[in-house]
Amino acid sequence: MKTVGTLGERGVIRVIDGIVKSEATVGIGDDCAAIDLGDKYLLVTTDMMVTKTHIPKGMGPYDVGWALVAVNLSDIAAMGGKPLGVVTAIGITKGHPIEFLEQMVDGMNDCAIRFGTSIVGGDTKEHEDLILCGTAVGEVSKTGILLRKGARPGDLIAVTGALGKAGSGFYSLKRGLGLKDAEDRLKRPWPRVKEGMVLSASGIVTSCMDISDGLSSSIFELSRNSGMTHEIDYVKIPKAPEVEMAFHDLERQKDLVLNFGDDFELLLTIKREHEQDMPALAEKMGCPLTVIGKVTSGEENILVDNGKREKLENLGYEHFRARKY
Amino acid sequence: MKTVGTLGERGVIRVIDGIVKSEATVGIGDDCAAIDLGDKYLLVTTDMMVTKTHIPKGMGPYDVGWALVAVNLSDIAAMGGKPLGVVTAIGITKGHPIEFLEQMVDGMNDCAIRFGTSIVGGDTKEHEDLILCGTAVGEVSKTGILLRKGARPGDLIAVTGALGKAGSGFYSLKRGLGLKDAEDRLKRPWPRVKEGMVLSASGIVTSCMDISDGLSSSIFELSRNSGMTHEIDYVKIPKAPEVEMAFHDLERQKDLVLNFGDDFELLLTIKREHEQDMPALAEKMGCPLTVIGKVTSGEENILVDNGKREKLENLGYEHFRARKY
């Protein structure tokens, strides 16, 4: 008898995708489902957060609540959407202090409000440990929707913000390095909601997703969707200043920047002829937008490092699985 | 240190409601949240289903998947909405057979399709036991939205279908009575989606909710929302034929009909002057619609039984808590 454990996460999704007959315009496999509302698309995304009996070291109930809402809003952002509301289902033990619940809901509420939306409803159930499920809904114009597919050879690859910050925060917490900003970013992810809406309105983005599982993994995900390959230049990748404080070793730094994830920056492709529009776009977003490579039609995804071309490895989420809560 | 266990389910919701600042037109406390989309309302509802290590006796994986989708669609139906899509988050162990996952997703898919919508996305996580979270979205016209509040003295109280079927199924499974139809109804709830849409379009409904937690509990919930009281006549309540097969004892039958729940019929109030429109409405719905009492402005909710007036007790869900999965 074959079990779910033999499938892996991707295999599970393949099984589900093979069964459900989605009527959505965009179904399983993108950051959100997109449902045709006539004049626009309704976006829907759901994320379950399983915490073991303990919350990871350094992450308090407020952070947990914040993170639940943030990861869902990041999916809305990745499609260029405007959030309309978030519902949260909470499985909690009888033994949790009321204060824990209050702080967690505070975190949910603050995150939703900070990014221009609100918690509109939810459900609570008694359970043996804390388990949370958030669902965000949003809207996006039909011409402005950003998908994982759509890149063409020659398009530029860009990222918002800087990479490696959340990862540095993880090692800071683990080893007591005191990189407070980075730790805060790990504990309270920052969805690029406004940035996604600006990118959607720009009309120059050909594909987009959020980097929840790491840059390398996300590059491969774009490849899977567009059928294209990518060439990224390590030197060009904007790195959080904390990365070199987390590790002296250059290979460990590289691993952090390429494979850690949890930064929730947006990874996107842009029509090459619009390169000159990028500074104005970055200003409108209030956030750096950096070209890190280009879309190709080759055999494999390539990483250029100081002029040396190597095959980009898909390490991302799987690589760091052990530290996931 | 006070714990969540001291609050009870309603207390937990009060805590959450006190913290979140919902921007929705209808927020916490109704069957769905309603978000203003300009020309109509977007409805969103989420339900977490916690199964212990075992699925309740007689309920297979297909039923579990079906039920998850059905309870969410019932919330959309209770607001008069047209379902637009369902997302499902699945927490499952590595040890579950792949076949279990397949059957469960089959149940989700079949239920969604049966009621005119589809599974549009989801999430999967590894967890120590099976835990499911479904979220349904729907739409409803601004004039057609059905809320828990809105009833006025003199309005008629009505229910769709018949009550006590799911409860009879529960006792049939427990005691091996072989009431197959009733068992099926318990295992695979039947949301009144089409019926809700017809009621919404009729313009004669002043309030509505689904009877997931039992008739008595639902009557009190309408009271809490409208500030009105209700008088229902036990003799008039349409009873599933299985009720008297489940119990000979009349008091046990009464308990089943009034307090069991899981029937997912709609409980609604209708303007008295439209009583003559009800047969046409029932025909349009393809489902019985029966007047069981009237809205009053008294001191308490009253149950009339063979001419004897007694105080209606709020037993519903709490009463049967022990058998809930």
Side-chain angles (χ1 to χ4, degrees), chain B residues 178-192:
Chain B
L179 306 173
K180 180 125 191 355
D181 272 10
E183 292 175 6
D184 285 352
R185 180 57 54 92
L186 176 77
K187 292 189 273 185
R188 292 189 292 281
W190 198 260
R192 293 294 192 181

Side-chain angles (χ1 to χ4, degrees), chain B residues 198 277-289:
Chain B
V198 171
D277 301 328
M278 288 179 60
L281 208 54
E283 200 183 325
K284 214 172 197 172
M285 296 194 295
C287 153
L289 182 64

Side-chain angles (χ1 to χ4, degrees), chain A residues 4-225:
Chain A
V4 170
T6 64
L7 289 174
E9 193 183 329
R10 195 135 305 160
V12 169
I13 292 171
R14 253 198 310 273
V15 165
I16 296 172
D17 198 18
I19 294 171
V20 305
K21 306 277 169 285
S22 170
E23 286 171 3
T25 307
V26 177
I28 290 170
D30 216 308
D31 290 284
C32 300
I35 297 167
D36 197 330
L37 283 184
D39 54 340
K40 58 194 165 194
Y41 289 122
L42 173 68
L43 303 174
V44 191
T45 180
T46 192
D47 259 286
M48 188 178 268
M49 215 163 124
V50 176
T51 64
K52 302 280 169 184
T53 319
H54 299 89
I55 289 173
K57 185 188 160 193
M59 199 151 169
Y62 182 92
D63 305 322
V64 173
W66 176 287
L68 178 73
V69 174
V71 299
N72 279 289
L73 292 182
S74 183
D75 285 332
I76 300 286
M79 306 277 279
K82 177 181 182 294
L84 293 171
V86 179
V87 290
T88 57
I90 302 173
I92 192 166
T93 73
K94 282 187 174 177
H96 271 91
I98 295 174
E99 212 182 9
F100 182 100
L101 176 70
E102 287 171 340
Q103 289 174 8
M104 191 170 68
V105 177
D106 258 338
M108 292 176 186
N109 181 62
D110 285 356
C111 182
I113 301 275
R114 173 59 188 80
F115 294 99
T117 187
S118 66
I119 307 295
V120 297
D123 187 27
T124 61
K125 288 280 149 61
E126 192 200 323
H127 189 52
E128 289 113 34
D129 50 20
L130 187 69
I131 188 156
L132 303 169
C133 187
T135 304
V137 290
E139 62 180 0
V140 66
S141 73
K142 286 195 164 178
T143 52
I145 191 169
L146 306 179
L147 302 176
R148 292 185 175 182
K149 69 178 179 191
R152 303 297 311 157
D155 285 356
L156 302 170
I157 306 168
V159 288
T160 58
L163 300 183
K165 194 170 192 110
S168 302
F170 176 76
Y171 288 104
S172 174
L173 278 172
K174 200 172 161 186
R175 307 203 314 257
L177 303 178
L179 307 173
K180 180 126 192 355
D181 272 12
E183 290 175 8
D184 285 352
R185 180 57 53 93
L186 176 77
K187 291 189 273 185
R188 293 189 291 280
W190 199 260
R192 293 295 191 180
V193 174
K194 181 189 161 197
E195 293 82 352
M197 288 165 68
V198 171
L199 292 171
S200 161
S202 75
I204 67 173
V205 178
T206 54
S207 68
C208 185
M209 68 179 289
D210 68 342
I211 313 185
S212 50
D213 296 341
L215 178 62
S216 64
S217 158
S218 301
I219 289 282
F220 277 85
E221 187 58 27
L222 289 186
S223 282
R224 212 177 57 80
N225 280 275

